[in-house]
Amino acid sequence: MHEMTDQGDVPLPTTPNTAGKPPPTRASVTFAAGTKELDQDQGRMTLMSRGTGSMSQASAFDETSLNVSQFVQLTETFLGDEPQMIAFKSLVKFVKDGYMETEEEKRERLLKAHKEHLFVKRKVRVDYLFEKWDNDGSGYLDIDEVDTIVTKYKDGMERDAMEKAKNAVRAKNKTNDNRFSKREFRDFISSVAEEISGDDEFDYLVDFLENSVERSYADRVRGEARKKWLQQIVTAAETSGATMEPVYRSVFQALYKDSETHGNNKKISANIALLESNDIDPARGDMMLVYVAATPEDASFLLGQALMPDMKGISFPAVESGKPIHVPRVTNHGNIHFWNAYRLPEEREGSFIVVPLKDQKKRVFGTLGVDTLCDPHTKAIFITHEIQFFQGVAKCFSIAFHHVDNRRKTMRITESAISWIHRRSSNVREISVYMVEPDGKDIDYVLRKMMSTDDKGEAKVLAKPPRLERIDNLFRDYLFKCVDNSETVTADAYGQRHFAFPLRDGDGLAVAVVDISTGNVRKLPRHEEKEVQRMLKLLQMAQKEVTRESAGGEKTQVLEAEKHEETRVDVMFDRLMLMDLREHVSNLDTRAYAEMKSYKDPPKVIHDIIKAVLSIFYTEQVEAGEFDDWNKCKAYLNNELNGRIQKYDPTSFKPLVQPEKITKHLQDVPHGSVTKHSSIPATHFYNWMFVCLSLIQHTMKMSQNKQRGALVQPKQNKAEREKTNV
């Protein structure tokens, strides 16, 4: 099976040479000349299975099982483009005769299916209960309100079980927030059902709660409309091509529609600010709020501005408390910062609310501000159900923001991987990256072409990424096939050989496809194939790490450069390469070095590589020419050098080694020439050197960018690139 795992390389499928012959299509298999065709029923069965797979939704990758479409893809790859009939029949017979399911395996499979069915059924019921309870879409339920109703179950006889479950959920999430998110509410109900003895207690409890939560018809209508608008915010992120502008626009549209329909037709203004490190004036506070989006009436004087902690306003108190702050009458408050200096005192009537934006761990990363200062009515005050809806908007914006952020990180690590693949494989002609998005019709998905390489092998991010629909791209069907099965696919398209690799999320679903074209080369040389496999394996590891962090997992920090959130993703792929090579170097023993030390006069390639490695740790000696003598040079090939390599962080040494002092030793060392000498230590050192060199250059570039950023005003800072005037 062609898969990406953390343990092994990603295999590049190999097939017989069929140059000059038309490639097989999804709906047919071409057998070699002289073989008999499949009978009519067998052929029809093959066509039906192919057709169904072509229009199916994407399947998740599972290391232990295959669905029908994945099994067909595996079989096709195993047999090659033009399988012999005898090989096909032999495989079918082998599978029929060899696949035996024992009674124990059958029991385990049925038990697993039953547990999964029960889990999904309960999840659907609790989520429905949550949505019914959270009528205005705030995304949270007040714990005290939940406690009041739940403790009435069985007339309070199960109060102890309720308290245990509530304390368990609070201890698990380690927050002081007196509200349940949907996930926390699900955990709470499951914990209560487990504490109470009885097989059907879960259903009885949920039935009781559903009957206890009643909403009027008007409330239900209002809730349905609001949830539709909130969903549009998330959908905007999923179909945005990793840009925030559609998300900002959908947020403001949701606020406008609700204000008009359920807010007594108030005239509102709104803005979004994000927390950033204060590199402008750290003495005024570690963080600052930079306004990245605003409605038209505020855009000209608000976008790009930075609110410091020592300035007037309720935004930082909202950030610190993690709770919305509502000012019913702005003119009476006295601690509001007015960005519009031309606003007259009589124009400062109205209501103002700041809602903190939180991630999955309930950490604040920004604010949503809504006001009625432009409303001509003097009593334009927000009421409870409006405030709850604003919290729902903030919740959905957080989901949308982190979805876009996750996709951007995927593109950044993929860009790093692409540059390495091009450096290490001269036969790779072009690489394109496609992102998987919903089609907006809930029928299928589309692919959005986000990135491609130019003639020089440099990755170019497309300013306006085009969408590819399955029905309009029959010759690129291999890309959709890759997503359908979440597996590697090989195909011939437009006269070129293509290898499509899926990047998977935590559930095993493909979120992006890396399409590598090798032109007329049907099989890469062995050393290039291994390098491409290694890069793709590391890229999948980086994608796994990004997905885990996006889901609220802990961040991995190995290098000094990874302390800064703005730069850590840029060095993530290189860091994974460095860790992989550290492991390889650590496995080198005395016997491995003995081969290199046995040279009396080593090949110039080997000598240059060792000098490049030593130039990092012994810069002055190398510059003085001490290591031009091979006898002195090889004396340093020992376990001490291993230890130095294990601990070396290319991003932390001050001052950094100048790149030119390393590269001058590698100018006459082409990549392919290293493998020709069959020296494992030299190969590992060579690869390690280039990764270190890349990280050093990254660090120098980041340092220069930071110095330039500290010299500009906030309005010219990175928020300027994000600003949106809706």
Side-chain angles (χ1 to χ4, degrees), residues 382-451:
F382 299 123
I383 57 179
T384 303
H385 70 81
E386 291 179 283
I387 295 174
Q388 290 177 335
F389 176 68
F390 296 156
Q391 293 179 73
V393 172
K395 175 85 171 178
C396 287
F397 174 80
S398 175
I399 295 171
F401 176 85
H402 286 92
H403 177 87
V404 172
D405 184 58
N406 182 279
R407 293 295 182 265
R408 286 179 171 179
K409 288 176 179 177
T410 295
M411 290 300 105
R412 286 161 70 182
I413 59 175
T414 305
E415 186 176 356
S416 297
I418 285 175
S419 66
W420 279 104
I421 290 174
H422 266 292
R423 286 183 218 171
R424 298 309 179 88
S425 179
S426 59
N427 285 292
V428 170
R429 295 289 175 262
E430 183 182 6
I431 302 177
S432 299
V433 182
Y434 299 85
M435 189 177 293
V436 182
E437 292 186 349
D439 65 351
K441 305 171 187 175
D442 294 330
I443 298 175
D444 202 357
Y445 58 85
V446 298
L447 296 176
R448 193 182 287 273
K449 188 175 182 180
M450 303 296 298
M451 190 186 305

Coordinates of all heavy atoms in Angstrom, one line a residue, residues 382-451:
F382 N -27.5 47.3 23.4 CA -27.5 45.8 23.1 C -28.2 45.1 24.3 O -27.9 45.4 25.5 CB -26.1 45.3 22.9 CG -25.4 45.9 21.8 CD1 -24.2 46.5 22.0 CD2 -25.9 45.8 20.5 CE1 -23.5 47.1 20.9 CE2 -25.2 46.4 19.4 CZ -24.0 47.0 19.6
I383 N -29.1 44.1 24.0 CA -29.7 43.4 25.0 C -29.2 41.9 25.0 O -28.3 41.6 24.2 CB -31.3 43.3 24.8 CG1 -31.6 42.8 23.4 CG2 -31.9 44.7 25.0 CD1 -33.1 42.7 23.1
T384 N -29.6 41.1 26.0 CA -29.0 39.9 26.3 C -28.8 38.9 25.1 O -27.7 38.4 24.8 CB -29.7 39.1 27.4 OG1 -29.8 40.0 28.5 CG2 -29.0 37.8 27.7
H385 N -29.9 38.7 24.3 CA -29.8 37.8 23.2 C -28.8 38.3 22.1 O -28.2 37.5 21.4 CB -31.2 37.4 22.6 CG -31.8 38.5 21.9 ND1 -31.5 38.8 20.6 CD2 -32.8 39.4 22.3 CE1 -32.3 39.8 20.2 NE2 -33.1 40.2 21.2
E386 N -28.7 39.6 22.0 CA -27.7 40.1 21.0 C -26.3 39.9 21.4 O -25.4 39.5 20.6 CB -28.0 41.6 20.8 CG -29.3 42.0 20.1 CD -29.4 43.5 20.0 OE1 -29.8 44.2 21.0 OE2 -29.2 44.0 18.9
I387 N -26.1 40.1 22.7 CA -24.7 39.8 23.3 C -24.3 38.3 23.1 O -23.2 38.0 22.8 CB -24.6 40.3 24.7 CG1 -24.8 41.8 24.8 CG2 -23.3 39.9 25.4 CD1 -24.9 42.3 26.2
Q388 N -25.3 37.5 23.3 CA -25.0 36.0 23.1 C -24.7 35.7 21.7 O -23.8 34.9 21.4 CB -26.2 35.2 23.6 CG -26.5 35.2 25.1 CD -27.7 34.5 25.5 OE1 -28.6 34.3 24.8 NE2 -27.7 34.0 26.7
F389 N -25.4 36.4 20.8 CA -25.1 36.2 19.3 C -23.7 36.7 19.0 O -23.0 36.1 18.2 CB -26.1 36.9 18.5 CG -25.8 36.8 17.0 CD1 -25.9 35.6 16.3 CD2 -25.5 38.0 16.3 CE1 -25.6 35.5 15.0 CE2 -25.2 37.9 14.9 CZ -25.3 36.7 14.3
F390 N -23.3 37.8 19.6 CA -22.0 38.4 19.3 C -20.9 37.4 19.8 O -19.9 37.2 19.1 CB -21.8 39.7 20.1 CG -22.6 40.8 19.6 CD1 -22.9 41.9 20.4 CD2 -23.2 40.8 18.3 CE1 -23.7 42.9 20.0 CE2 -24.0 41.8 17.9 CZ -24.3 42.9 18.7
Q391 N -21.2 36.7 20.9 CA -20.2 35.6 21.4 C -20.2 34.5 20.4 O -19.1 33.9 20.2 CB -20.6 35.2 22.7 CG -20.5 36.2 23.8 CD -20.9 35.7 25.2 OE1 -20.2 34.9 25.8 NE2 -22.1 36.2 25.7
G392 N -21.3 34.2 19.8 CA -21.4 33.1 18.7 C -20.6 33.5 17.5 O -19.9 32.7 16.9
V393 N -20.7 34.8 17.1 CA -19.9 35.3 16.0 C -18.4 35.2 16.3 O -17.6 34.8 15.5 CB -20.2 36.8 15.7 CG1 -19.3 37.4 14.7 CG2 -21.7 36.9 15.2
A394 N -18.0 35.6 17.6 CA -16.6 35.5 18.0 C -16.1 34.0 17.9 O -15.0 33.7 17.5 CB -16.4 36.0 19.4
K395 N -17.0 33.1 18.4 CA -16.6 31.7 18.4 C -16.4 31.2 16.9 O -15.4 30.5 16.6 CB -17.8 30.9 19.0 CG -17.6 29.4 19.0 CD -16.8 28.9 20.2 CE -16.8 27.4 20.2 NZ -16.0 26.9 21.3
C396 N -17.3 31.5 16.0 CA -17.2 31.0 14.7 C -16.0 31.7 14.0 O -15.4 31.1 13.1 CB -18.5 31.3 13.9 SG -19.9 30.2 14.4
F397 N -15.8 33.0 14.3 CA -14.6 33.6 13.7 C -13.3 32.9 14.1 O -12.4 32.7 13.4 CB -14.5 35.1 14.1 CG -13.3 35.8 13.7 CD1 -13.1 36.2 12.4 CD2 -12.2 35.9 14.5 CE1 -11.9 36.8 11.9 CE2 -11.0 36.5 14.1 CZ -10.9 36.9 12.8
S398 N -13.3 32.5 15.4 CA -12.1 31.7 15.9 C -11.9 30.4 15.1 O -10.8 30.1 14.7 CB -12.3 31.4 17.4 OG -11.2 30.6 17.9
I399 N -13.0 29.7 14.9 CA -12.9 28.5 14.1 C -12.4 28.8 12.7 O -11.5 28.1 12.2 CB -14.3 27.8 14.0 CG1 -14.7 27.3 15.4 CG2 -14.3 26.6 13.1 CD1 -16.2 26.8 15.5
A400 N -13.0 29.8 12.1 CA -12.6 30.2 10.7 C -11.2 30.7 10.7 O -10.4 30.3 9.8 CB -13.5 31.3 10.2
F401 N -10.8 31.5 11.6 CA -9.4 32.0 11.7 C -8.4 30.9 11.8 O -7.4 30.9 11.0 CB -9.3 33.0 12.9 CG -7.9 33.5 13.1 CD1 -7.4 34.7 12.4 CD2 -7.0 32.9 13.9 CE1 -6.2 35.2 12.5 CE2 -5.7 33.4 14.1 CZ -5.3 34.5 13.4
H402 N -8.6 30.0 12.7 CA -7.7 28.9 12.8 C -7.7 27.9 11.7 O -6.6 27.3 11.4 CB -7.9 28.2 14.2 CG -7.5 29.0 15.4 ND1 -8.4 29.9 16.0 CD2 -6.3 29.1 16.0 CE1 -7.7 30.5 17.0 NE2 -6.4 30.0 17.0
H403 N -8.8 27.8 11.0 CA -8.8 27.0 9.8 C -7.9 27.6 8.7 O -7.1 26.9 8.1 CB -10.2 26.8 9.2 CG -10.3 26.1 8.0 ND1 -10.5 24.7 7.9 CD2 -10.3 26.5 6.7 CE1 -10.5 24.3 6.7 NE2 -10.4 25.3 5.9
V404 N -8.1 28.9 8.5 CA -7.2 29.6 7.5 C -5.8 29.5 7.9 O -4.9 29.3 7.1 CB -7.7 31.0 7.3 CG1 -6.7 31.8 6.4 CG2 -9.1 31.0 6.7
D405 N -5.5 29.7 9.2 CA -4.2 29.7 9.7 C -3.5 28.3 9.5 O -2.4 28.2 9.1 CB -4.2 30.1 11.2 CG -2.8 30.2 11.8 OD1 -2.0 31.0 11.3 OD2 -2.5 29.4 12.8
N406 N -4.3 27.3 9.8 CA -3.8 25.9 9.6 C -3.4 25.7 8.1 O -2.4 25.1 7.8 CB -4.9 24.9 10.0 CG -4.4 23.5 9.9 OD1 -4.5 22.9 8.8 ND2 -4.0 22.9 11.0
R407 N -4.3 26.2 7.2 CA -4.0 26.0 5.8 C -2.8 26.8 5.3 O -2.0 26.3 4.5 CB -5.2 26.4 4.9 CG -6.4 25.5 5.1 CD -6.1 24.1 4.6 NE -7.3 23.2 4.7 CZ -7.5 22.4 5.7 NH1 -6.6 22.3 6.7 NH2 -8.5 21.6 5.7
R408 N -2.6 28.0 5.9 CA -1.5 28.8 5.5 C -0.2 28.1 6.0 O 0.9 28.1 5.3 CB -1.6 30.2 6.2 CG -2.6 31.1 5.5 CD -2.7 32.4 6.2 NE -3.5 33.4 5.4 CZ -3.7 34.6 5.8 NH1 -3.2 35.0 7.0 NH2 -4.4 35.4 5.1
K409 N -0.2 27.5 7.2 CA 0.9 26.8 7.7 C 1.3 25.6 6.8 O 2.4 25.3 6.6 CB 0.7 26.4 9.2 CG 0.7 27.6 10.2 CD 0.4 27.1 11.6 CE 0.5 28.3 12.5 NZ 0.1 27.9 13.9
T410 N 0.2 24.9 6.4 CA 0.4 23.8 5.5 C 1.2 24.3 4.2 O 2.1 23.6 3.8 CB -0.9 23.2 5.1 OG1 -1.5 22.6 6.3 CG2 -0.7 22.1 4.1
M411 N 0.8 25.4 3.7 CA 1.4 25.9 2.5 C 2.9 26.3 2.8 O 3.8 26.1 1.9 CB 0.6 27.1 1.9 CG -0.7 26.8 1.3 SD -0.6 25.6 -0.1 CE -1.2 24.1 0.7
R412 N 3.1 26.9 3.9 CA 4.5 27.3 4.3 C 5.4 26.1 4.4 O 6.6 26.1 3.9 CB 4.5 28.2 5.5 CG 3.9 29.6 5.3 CD 3.4 30.3 6.5 NE 4.5 30.7 7.4 CZ 4.4 31.3 8.5 NH1 3.1 31.5 9.0 NH2 5.4 31.6 9.3
I413 N 5.0 25.1 5.1 CA 5.9 23.9 5.3 C 6.0 23.2 3.9 O 7.1 22.6 3.6 CB 5.4 22.9 6.4 CG1 4.0 22.4 6.0 CG2 5.4 23.6 7.7 CD1 3.4 21.4 7.0
T414 N 5.0 23.2 3.1 CA 5.1 22.6 1.8 C 6.0 23.3 0.9 O 6.8 22.7 0.1 CB 3.7 22.5 1.1 OG1 2.8 21.8 2.0 CG2 3.7 21.7 -0.2
E415 N 6.0 24.6 1.0 CA 7.0 25.4 0.2 C 8.4 25.1 0.6 O 9.3 25.0 -0.3 CB 6.7 26.9 0.5 CG 7.5 27.8 -0.4 CD 7.2 29.3 -0.2 OE1 6.2 29.6 0.6 OE2 7.8 30.2 -0.8
S416 N 8.7 24.9 1.9 CA 10.0 24.5 2.3 C 10.4 23.1 1.7 O 11.5 22.9 1.2 CB 10.1 24.4 3.8 OG 9.9 25.7 4.4
A417 N 9.4 22.2 1.7 CA 9.7 20.8 1.2 C 9.9 20.8 -0.3 O 10.8 20.1 -0.8 CB 8.5 19.9 1.5
I418 N 9.2 21.7 -1.0 CA 9.3 21.8 -2.4 C 10.7 22.2 -2.8 O 11.4 21.7 -3.7 CB 8.3 22.7 -3.0 CG1 6.9 22.1 -3.1 CG2 8.6 23.2 -4.4 CD1 5.8 23.0 -3.5
S419 N 11.2 23.2 -2.1 CA 12.6 23.7 -2.4 C 13.6 22.6 -2.2 O 14.6 22.5 -3.0 CB 12.9 24.9 -1.6 OG 13.0 24.6 -0.2
W420 N 13.4 21.8 -1.2 CA 14.4 20.7 -0.9 C 14.3 19.6 -2.0 O 15.3 19.1 -2.4 CB 14.2 20.1 0.5 CG 14.8 21.0 1.6 CD1 14.2 21.8 2.4 CD2 16.2 21.0 1.9 NE1 15.1 22.4 3.3 CE2 16.3 21.9 3.0 CE3 17.3 20.4 1.4 CZ2 17.6 22.2 3.5 CZ3 18.6 20.7 1.9 CH2 18.7 21.6 3.0
I421 N 13.1 19.3 -2.4 CA 12.9 18.3 -3.4 C 13.6 18.7 -4.7 O 14.3 17.9 -5.4 CB 11.4 18.0 -3.6 CG1 10.8 17.3 -2.4 CG2 11.2 17.1 -4.9 CD1 9.3 17.1 -2.5
H422 N 13.4 19.9 -5.1 CA 14.0 20.4 -6.3 C 15.6 20.4 -6.2 O 16.3 20.1 -7.2 CB 13.5 21.8 -6.7 CG 12.4 21.8 -7.6 ND1 12.5 21.4 -8.9 CD2 11.1 22.1 -7.5 CE1 11.3 21.5 -9.5 NE2 10.4 21.9 -8.7
R423 N 16.1 20.7 -5.0 CA 17.5 20.7 -4.9 C 18.1 19.3 -5.0 O 19.2 19.1 -5.5 CB 17.9 21.3 -3.5 CG 17.8 22.8 -3.3 CD 18.2 23.2 -2.0 NE 17.4 24.2 -1.4 CZ 17.5 24.7 -0.1 NH1 18.3 24.1 0.7 NH2 16.7 25.6 0.3
R424 N 17.4 18.3 -4.5 CA 17.9 17.0 -4.4 C 17.5 16.1 -5.6 O 18.0 15.0 -5.7 CB 17.4 16.3 -3.1 CG 17.9 17.1 -1.9 CD 19.4 17.2 -1.9 NE 19.9 17.9 -0.8 CZ 20.3 17.3 0.4 NH1 20.2 16.1 0.5 NH2 20.8 18.1 1.3
S425 N 16.6 16.5 -6.4 CA 16.2 15.6 -7.5 C 16.1 16.5 -8.8 O 15.2 17.2 -9.1 CB 14.8 15.0 -7.2 OG 14.4 14.2 -8.3
S426 N 17.1 16.3 -9.6 CA 17.2 17.1 -10.9 C 16.2 16.6 -11.9 O 15.9 17.4 -12.9 CB 18.6 16.9 -11.5 OG 18.9 15.6 -11.7
N427 N 15.6 15.4 -11.7 CA 14.7 14.9 -12.7 C 13.2 15.4 -12.4 O 12.4 15.1 -13.2 CB 14.7 13.4 -12.7 CG 15.9 12.9 -13.5 OD1 16.1 13.0 -14.7 ND2 16.9 12.3 -12.7
V428 N 13.0 16.0 -11.3 CA 11.7 16.6 -11.0 C 11.5 17.9 -11.8 O 12.3 18.8 -11.7 CB 11.5 16.9 -9.5 CG1 10.2 17.7 -9.3 CG2 11.5 15.6 -8.7
R429 N 10.5 17.9 -12.7 CA 10.3 19.0 -13.6 C 9.5 20.1 -13.0 O 9.7 21.3 -13.2 CB 9.7 18.5 -14.9 CG 10.6 17.6 -15.7 CD 11.8 18.4 -16.3 NE 12.7 17.5 -17.0 CZ 13.8 17.1 -16.5 NH1 14.2 17.4 -15.3 NH2 14.6 16.3 -17.2
E430 N 8.4 19.7 -12.4 CA 7.5 20.7 -11.8 C 6.7 20.1 -10.6 O 6.5 18.9 -10.6 CB 6.4 21.1 -12.9 CG 5.5 22.2 -12.5 CD 4.4 22.5 -13.5 OE1 4.4 21.8 -14.6 OE2 3.6 23.4 -13.3
I431 N 6.4 21.0 -9.7 CA 5.6 20.5 -8.5 C 4.5 21.5 -8.3 O 4.7 22.8 -8.3 CB 6.5 20.5 -7.2 CG1 7.7 19.5 -7.4 CG2 5.6 20.0 -6.0 CD1 8.6 19.5 -6.2
S432 N 3.3 21.0 -8.2 CA 2.1 21.9 -7.9 C 1.5 21.4 -6.6 O 1.5 20.2 -6.3 CB 1.1 21.8 -9.1 OG 1.7 22.2 -10.3
V433 N 0.9 22.3 -5.9 CA 0.2 22.0 -4.6 C -1.3 22.4 -4.7 O -1.5 23.6 -5.1 CB 0.9 22.6 -3.4 CG1 0.2 22.2 -2.1 CG2 2.4 22.3 -3.4
Y434 N -2.1 21.5 -4.4 CA -3.6 21.7 -4.5 C -4.2 21.6 -3.1 O -3.8 20.7 -2.3 CB -4.3 20.8 -5.4 CG -3.8 20.8 -6.8 CD1 -2.7 20.1 -7.3 CD2 -4.5 21.6 -7.8 CE1 -2.2 20.2 -8.6 CE2 -4.0 21.7 -9.1 CZ -2.9 21.0 -9.5 OH -2.5 21.1 -10.8
M435 N -5.1 22.5 -2.7 CA -5.8 22.4 -1.5 C -7.2 21.9 -1.7 O -7.9 22.2 -2.7 CB -5.8 23.8 -0.8 CG -6.3 23.8 0.6 SD -6.3 25.5 1.3 CE -4.5 25.7 1.3
V436 N -7.7 21.0 -0.8 CA -9.0 20.4 -0.9 C -10.0 21.4 -0.2 O -9.8 21.7 1.0 CB -9.0 19.0 -0.2 CG1 -10.4 18.4 -0.3 CG2 -8.0 18.1 -0.8
E437 N -11.1 21.7 -0.9 CA -12.1 22.6 -0.3 C -13.5 22.0 -0.6 O -13.7 21.3 -1.7 CB -12.0 24.0 -0.9 CG -10.8 24.8 -0.5 CD -10.8 26.2 -1.0 OE1 -11.7 26.5 -1.8 OE2 -9.9 27.0 -0.6
P438 N -14.5 22.4 0.2 CA -15.9 22.0 -0.2 C -16.3 22.7 -1.5 O -15.8 23.8 -1.8 CB -16.7 22.5 1.0 CG -15.7 22.7 2.1 CD -14.4 23.1 1.5
D439 N -17.2 22.1 -2.2 CA -17.6 22.7 -3.5 C -18.7 23.7 -3.2 O -19.2 24.4 -4.2 CB -18.1 21.7 -4.5 CG -19.4 20.9 -4.0 OD1 -19.7 21.1 -2.8 OD2 -19.9 20.1 -4.8
G440 N -19.2 23.8 -2.0 CA -20.3 24.8 -1.7 C -21.7 24.3 -2.0 O -22.7 25.0 -1.7
K441 N -21.8 23.1 -2.6 CA -23.1 22.5 -2.9 C -23.3 21.2 -2.1 O -24.4 20.6 -2.3 CB -23.1 22.2 -4.4 CG -22.8 23.3 -5.3 CD -22.7 22.9 -6.7 CE -22.3 24.0 -7.6 NZ -22.0 23.6 -9.0
D442 N -22.4 20.8 -1.2 CA -22.5 19.6 -0.4 C -22.6 18.4 -1.3 O -23.3 17.4 -0.9 CB -23.7 19.7 0.6 CG -23.4 20.7 1.6 OD1 -22.3 21.0 2.0 OD2 -24.4 21.3 2.1
I443 N -22.0 18.4 -2.5 CA -22.1 17.3 -3.4 C -20.7 16.6 -3.5 O -20.6 15.4 -3.4 CB -22.5 17.7 -4.8 CG1 -24.0 18.3 -4.8 CG2 -22.5 16.5 -5.8 CD1 -24.4 18.8 -6.1
D444 N -19.7 17.4 -3.7 CA -18.3 16.9 -3.9 C -17.4 17.9 -3.3 O -17.8 18.9 -2.7 CB -18.1 16.6 -5.3 CG -16.9 15.6 -5.6 OD1 -16.3 15.2 -4.6 OD2 -16.7 15.3 -6.8
Y445 N -16.1 17.8 -3.5 CA -15.1 18.7 -3.1 C -14.5 19.3 -4.4 O -14.6 18.7 -5.5 CB -14.0 18.1 -2.2 CG -13.3 17.0 -2.9 CD1 -12.2 17.1 -3.7 CD2 -13.8 15.6 -2.6 CE1 -11.6 16.1 -4.3 CE2 -13.1 14.6 -3.2 CZ -12.0 14.8 -4.0 OH -11.4 13.7 -4.6
V446 N -13.7 20.4 -4.3 CA -13.0 20.9 -5.4 C -11.5 21.0 -4.9 O -11.2 21.0 -3.8 CB -13.5 22.3 -5.8 CG1 -14.9 22.2 -6.3 CG2 -13.4 23.3 -4.7
L447 N -10.6 21.2 -5.9 CA -9.2 21.4 -5.6 C -8.8 22.8 -6.0 O -9.2 23.3 -7.1 CB -8.4 20.4 -6.4 CG -8.5 18.9 -6.0 CD1 -7.7 18.0 -6.9 CD2 -8.2 18.7 -4.6
R448 N -8.1 23.5 -5.2 CA -7.7 24.8 -5.5 C -6.2 24.8 -5.6 O -5.4 24.5 -4.7 CB -8.1 25.8 -4.4 CG -7.9 27.3 -4.8 CD -8.3 28.2 -3.6 NE -9.7 28.2 -3.4 CZ -10.6 29.1 -4.0 NH1 -10.1 29.9 -4.9 NH2 -11.8 29.1 -3.7
K449 N -5.7 25.2 -6.8 CA -4.3 25.2 -7.1 C -3.6 26.4 -6.4 O -3.8 27.6 -6.7 CB -4.0 25.3 -8.6 CG -2.5 25.1 -8.9 CD -2.3 25.0 -10.4 CE -0.9 24.8 -10.8 NZ -0.7 24.7 -12.3
M450 N -2.8 26.1 -5.3 CA -2.3 27.2 -4.5 C -0.9 27.6 -4.8 O -0.5 28.7 -4.6 CB -2.3 26.7 -3.0 CG -3.7 26.3 -2.5 SD -4.8 27.7 -2.4 CE -4.0 28.8 -1.3
M451 N -0.1 26.6 -5.4 CA 1.3 26.9 -5.5 C 1.9 26.0 -6.7 O 1.4 24.9 -6.9 CB 2.0 26.5 -4.2 CG 3.5 26.9 -4.1 SD 4.2 26.2 -2.5 CE 3.0 26.8 -1.3

